[in-house]
Amino acid sequence: MRVLLQLALILGICYAGDLIHDYTGIPVPGNILGMLILLLLLCLKIVKLDQIREVSDFFLKRLSFFFLPPAIGLMLVGDDVKSQWPLLLFLCIVITVVTMVTTGWTVQLLSKKSKDKN
């Protein structure tokens, strides 16, 4: 029963993100809004990590499974991907560099804040 309640909480937050997207027209997908709402609720300690731990661990352990539909979709549009491969390669490199830089800055900022607290 506990797992069902955890799943209902996560799905409810995801649904809230979809509703916000539908009714406000914010140009951010509803599932992203749902993740931001969940992050906010976790940061404000309105939702405790223990309240969603079991379902979250279940999803994280099977995360690669959720990449199958997009991968199959890419196979279906293989010709389009082949014709645009230089642009896609360039974008992958740029996005990887931006992600690495952003992650580095975030780690530095958080470690600096952690040292200031101690």
Side-chain angles (χ1 to χ4, degrees):
M1 186 69 169
R2 180 175 166 86
V3 174
L4 290 176
L5 291 173
Q6 292 178 15
L7 184 61
L9 178 62
I10 291 175
L11 291 177
I13 292 170
C14 185
Y15 184 65
D18 283 335
L19 287 176
I20 291 171
H21 170 73
D22 290 342
Y23 289 111
T24 62
I26 295 174
V28 177
N31 55 351
I32 302 297
L33 290 173
M35 285 192 288
L36 291 174
I37 292 168
L38 180 59
L39 176 65
L40 181 68
L41 292 174
L42 286 168
C43 288
L44 295 175
K45 299 191 192 264
I46 295 171
V47 172
K48 308 255 186 308
L49 187 56
D50 289 337
Q51 293 175 305
I52 59 170
R53 182 178 306 276
E54 292 173 53
V55 171
S56 299
D57 288 344
F58 174 82
F59 284 136
L60 286 173
K61 287 177 185 172
R62 290 148 185 89
L63 189 62
S64 59
F65 174 75
F66 297 108
F67 286 97
L68 285 177
I72 292 169
L74 279 175
M75 285 189 243
L76 294 175
V77 293
D79 294 333
D80 294 336
V81 172
K82 284 180 186 175
S83 67
Q84 298 292 326
W85 75 266
L87 175 62
L88 292 173
L89 179 64
F90 173 75
L91 289 174
C92 285
I93 292 169
V94 168
I95 289 170
T96 301
V97 170
V98 168
T99 302
M100 290 170 57
V101 169
T102 304
T103 302
W105 285 342
T106 303
V107 168
Q108 287 179 347
L109 178 69
L110 292 175
S111 65
K112 183 178 179 181
K113 285 186 177 186
S114 176
K115 287 179 186 178
D116 290 344
K117 286 184 180 181
N118 295 329

